[in-house]
Amino acid sequence: MEPLILKTDSVLLEFDGRKILQDVYLECKQGEVLGILGRNGCGKSSLLRIMFGTLTPAYKHVSINGEYIKKGYHNRRIAYLPQHNYLPKGIKIKKLAKSIIDDRFWDDFSAHPVYHDHCEKTIGELSGGEVRQLETLMVIYSKADFILLDEPFTHISPMQAEMFKAIIKKCAKVKGIILTDHQYYNILDVSDRIILITNGYTRPIKHRDELITYGYLSHIN
Amino acid sequence: MYNTLKIAWYFYKPTLVWCLLATFACIYYVLSRQLNIPLAFLCKLFSYASILGIQYLNFNSTKTYFYFRNAGYSVRRLYFYVFSFDLITFSILLSLSTIR
């Protein structure tokens, strides 16, 4: 089967007359990881929410294989990891997971210690770190064709970041994954392509040196 | 279908107490002749508006909407499902309790 291609084009997002995003073009096909970098407030999270369908800009064109997508989450086309906690309380983790995890990845997901050890509990019984870990895994392993991850490496240990990167790489064989984080080294490490958002524009990054040219980094380690 | 029912149930759970409270309060006032049936339905509809308001103001509730969206369902559609089910249940209970 041909890989699906998610395209986002001509996004215009304004807040109080200030243009946050004005000339955005990005595409991601199943089988690749696309990293988005940019300074605070440049519109990275907003762009992900626009693709997901929970933020309505003045204009946008989001499509999958040429088919216009109004709300990315309809029919599980796109899943999104927000920066905040999102799992409902009072329902067993096992029940929450079964409704959204992709059957192809169920064995991988269920073998993970954070699920395996706590599947009979509810979210309220887990620590903040465990909840975040579970939420991230549930989005990466979800049934959606495309996965959007907003700051998946924030508030987790380096060991966990390495684990997530391996999982992202594995799932990206059959899904398209778009992610953003301020931990640019993790993004550079896991991504097949990089897009930088600067002054509302998306710029494809061919060489890491360009991140210095565009003023995102002062130096690269 | 089964998955939709499960997801709708998870969505319904946090509002269940408020929905039941409104249902039993309306039935109680109808039985004690302080409300007529059309007014009871109006009160029930008003309770839905209040529940929506409470959910909207409760920031934690709106955060959980992302779980339901990731499951492929729009929040508007889920509210339609649960309020329709609740209204039908209310109508049946009201009919049964007013049969003489």
Side-chain angles (χ1 to χ4, degrees):
Chain A
M1 206 173 98
E2 283 288 298
L4 300 174
I5 301 175
L6 170 68
K7 280 186 188 173
T8 305
D9 194 6
S10 312
V11 173
L12 176 62
L13 178 70
E14 294 176 308
F15 286 130
D16 298 327
R18 190 168 71 95
K19 285 180 178 165
I20 307 295
L21 296 169
Q22 52 185 321
D23 189 14
V24 166
Y25 177 80
L26 64 86
E27 66 174 64
C28 175
K29 67 169 184 258
Q30 284 181 317
E32 75 170 348
V33 180
L34 176 68
I36 300 177
L37 294 174
R39 291 179 175 183
N40 284 326
C42 73
K44 301 184 299 296
S45 299
S46 297
L47 182 57
L48 295 187
R49 287 179 59 206
I50 288 166
M51 286 189 267
F52 188 58
T54 51
L55 179 64
T56 308
Y59 189 82
K60 69 164 181 180
H61 187 86
V62 179
S63 65
I64 295 178
N65 274 17
E67 179 197 346
Y68 176 71
I69 301 293
K70 192 178 179 190
K71 303 275 184 190
Y73 55 82
H74 276 174
N75 302 318
R76 295 172 178 154
R77 306 304 299 272
I78 300 176
Y80 169 66
L81 174 74
Q83 288 179 21
H84 55 73
N85 293 130
Y86 70 89
L87 288 176
K89 291 174 182 167
I91 301 164
K92 276 187 183 174
I93 290 162
K94 188 162 77 178
K95 291 181 178 178
L96 291 174
K98 282 196 170 155
S99 297
I100 66 167
I101 299 298
D102 192 330
D103 293 337
R104 292 172 292 181
F105 296 113
W106 178 259
D107 290 344
D108 290 349
F109 173 77
S110 58
H112 201 282
V114 77
Y115 175 79
H116 188 262
D117 299 347
H118 305 295
C119 61
E120 297 294 338
K121 295 178 185 169
T122 62
I123 286 303
E125 297 172 79
L126 269 61
S127 72
E130 287 169 331
V131 172
R132 188 62 184 164
Q133 208 179 329
L134 195 64
E135 289 179 333
T136 307
L137 288 172
M138 280 173 74
V139 169
I140 298 173
Y141 285 126
S142 76
K143 292 172 181 167
D145 300 320
F146 292 92
I147 308 292
L148 312 179
L149 304 172
D150 196 354
E151 301 198 359
F153 303 117
T154 304
H155 305 306
I156 60 167
S157 68
M159 284 283 282
Q160 284 176 336
E162 291 304 316
M163 179 200 72
F164 281 141
K165 282 192 278 188
I167 294 170
I168 288 168
K169 281 284 187 193
K170 187 177 180 185
C171 289
K173 286 176 185 162
V174 291
K175 295 168 189 285
I177 298 184
I178 302 176
L179 74 173
T180 180
D181 205 294
H182 289 295
Q183 295 186 14
Y184 68 91
Y185 41 90
N186 282 324
I187 298 293
L188 294 176
D189 196 19
V190 77
S191 304
D192 300 310
R193 284 193 298 123
I194 298 288
I195 295 277
L196 178 71
I197 299 180
T198 172
N199 299 323
Y201 299 88
T202 45
R203 298 181 194 281
I205 300 297
K206 298 268 192 304
H207 303 286
R208 294 184 178 194
D209 292 349
E210 289 175 77
L211 293 172
I212 300 172
T213 310
Y214 288 123
Y216 176 69
L217 294 177
S218 58
H219 64 279
I220 294 179
N221 292 327
Chain B
M1 181 64 184
Y2 178 62
N3 199 50
T4 304
L5 286 174
K6 269 198 308 184
I7 292 289
W9 167 241
Y10 300 158
F11 192 77
Y12 188 33
K13 258 180 109 176
T15 64
L16 185 62
V17 173
W18 302 106
C19 287
L20 286 177
L21 261 175
T23 295
F24 290 122
C26 288
I27 290 173
Y28 171 79
Y29 285 115
V30 168
L31 291 177
S32 59
R33 295 176 186 277
Q34 294 177 60
L35 272 183
N36 59 28
I37 288 175
L39 213 54
F41 272 100
L42 204 64
C43 288
K44 188 65 185 157
L45 293 177
F46 180 74
S47 78
Y48 293 143
S50 309
I51 288 167
L52 282 175
I54 291 167
Q55 292 280 95
Y56 182 75
L57 291 174
N58 183 355
F59 195 51
N60 281 326
S61 298
T62 51
K63 280 179 180 176
T64 65
Y65 290 168
F66 283 94
Y67 170 77
F68 300 101
R69 290 179 182 126
N70 281 333
Y73 297 86
S74 80
V75 168
R76 200 175 289 181
R77 188 169 141 202
L78 287 170
Y79 271 122
F80 175 76
Y81 288 161
V82 301
F83 286 163
S84 300
F85 170 78
D86 189 76
L87 196 62
I88 291 167
T89 311
F90 173 69
S91 307
I92 293 168
L93 287 175
L94 192 62
S95 310
L96 290 174
S97 59
T98 51
I99 289 172
R100 299 196 187 275

